[in-house]
Structures are given as C-alpha cells and as structure tokens.
Amino acid sequence: MANREAIRELQARLASRLQAARTEGVAVAWLAVKAGGHNYLLPLGQSGEIYPMSNVQSVPYVRPWFRGVLNIRGGLYGVVDVAGFVAETGGAPHAETLALDSSVVTFNSALEVNCALQVDSLAGLRGVDAFESSEPPAEGAPAYFGNRFVDSTGEHWQEINLRTLSQFPQFLSISV
C-alpha cells in the first residue's frame, strides 16, 4: 500500500513539474523512463499522462509486446511494452524485468493515437543540460529512434520519437 502511495506522489510531483515547465518556459525536453534494462527519453510535447499499470485486459492473437487494453477515463488505450517492441523491431534487446511499479505513459492527444507505453519505472524530467554528449542514431536503428544521449554518470539514454512511432507500420500491426 505504501508503494502505491509513493508512486502516486511521484506522479503528482512529475505532473506539477511538467505543468510548471510548460507555464514558466523551463527547458525541459523529455520524460525519462526505464524499460527492459534500458533508458529512454520521451519528448514532452509528444507524451501525455502517466498512470499506474493496472487492470489491463489481455487481447487474443496479438504480438507479445501488445499487453492489452486499458480503460483511462472512459477511453480504451492499447498498451505496448516499449522494451519488447524496441527489441522486436531491431533496437536493443531487452531484459525481462519484474517491475512492481510499472506505469503507462499515454501519447499526447494531438497524435490521435489511443496508446500507452508500458515502462518499468519513471526517472523524472530531463533537459538538454542534463547530458554531456549526444550522437545521432546508429546506422540501421529503427526510424523512430532519435538521438542517443550520455549523462554525467555515463548512462546512455535513447530518445524515442513518439510521432514517428505512432505511424510506424509495425507499431500499427498488432496481430500475429
């Protein structure tokens, strides 16, 4: 129970920081998440809301990375395991994790896709100043990969362009 309250508090803090960043013009560019043993950056302008992962209804005859559907405020959202999808489409292989505090991050409503990405954990908001270097995606990387960043601790962070991902043919084809 305390774990759920801590998650709610984290989500509330992130939501308030996000709102402050939008109103004050702070240079926050990404929501940092962890999934499948990798670090990802989701552009704030393309990201929507954050919810705890609960009550996902499975769907038969779909790819393993499509977890099912979730009711969010009366709307149905498809839930995609981002690490599993990245691994299947030529990105980094992912390690199965047993995250008890998984969350889903919805796509911004402007993208007109009722979809949410399942992530293992939230790592806060990041701006360009949080990184020491960046490089373009590797040759042969999926089209939805943006730049790859390295922070001051040496951790690598892969940007995922949600607009491109939402139009990626394999992302739109969930059936087996």
Side-chain angles (χ1 to χ4, degrees):
M1 187 69 165
N3 194 19
R4 283 184 183 241
E5 289 178 22
I7 292 171
R8 285 190 187 117
E9 289 175 16
L10 173 64
Q11 290 172 335
R13 284 194 314 269
L14 282 174
S16 67
R17 286 182 60 196
L18 179 59
Q19 185 60 34
R22 286 180 178 152
T23 58
E24 298 171 12
V26 177
V28 173
W30 301 282
L31 173 64
V33 300
K34 295 179 180 252
H38 298 283
N39 301 322
Y40 296 106
L41 298 170
L42 307 177
L44 286 182
Q46 298 171 9
S47 301
E49 299 177 277
I50 302 165
Y51 295 94
M53 176 83 167
S54 63
N55 300 323
V56 174
Q57 301 299 308
S58 62
V59 177
Y61 310 113
V62 294
R63 301 210 179 270
W65 46 261
F66 190 80
R67 296 291 191 218
V69 293
L70 180 63
N71 181 340
I72 298 176
R73 291 195 210 161
L76 286 180
Y77 285 75
V79 177
V80 172
D81 171 14
V82 67
F85 179 78
V86 167
E88 186 174 299
T89 58
H94 91 299
E96 284 294 326
T97 56
L98 296 173
L100 299 175
D101 59 344
S102 290
S103 298
V104 293
V105 179
T106 64
F107 283 53
N108 189 303
S109 60
L111 297 178
E112 298 180 345
V113 177
N114 280 11
C115 185
L117 299 178
Q118 175 190 351
V119 299
D120 296 336
S121 63
L122 305 169
L125 302 174
R126 300 287 194 279
V128 175
D129 59 338
F131 302 102
E132 294 191 348
S133 65
S134 69
E135 58 188 43
E139 188 174 323
Y144 55 86
F145 270 14
N147 289 331
R148 184 173 169 96
F149 296 86
V150 179
D151 65 17
S152 61
T153 64
E155 285 195 80
H156 292 266
W157 294 83
Q158 177 63 59
E159 180 182 28
I160 295 180
N161 185 312
L162 298 181
R163 181 179 314 281
T164 304
L165 179 63
S166 72
Q167 299 167 0
F168 197 66
Q170 287 172 293
F171 186 78
L172 298 172
S173 179
I174 63 169
S175 63
V176 288

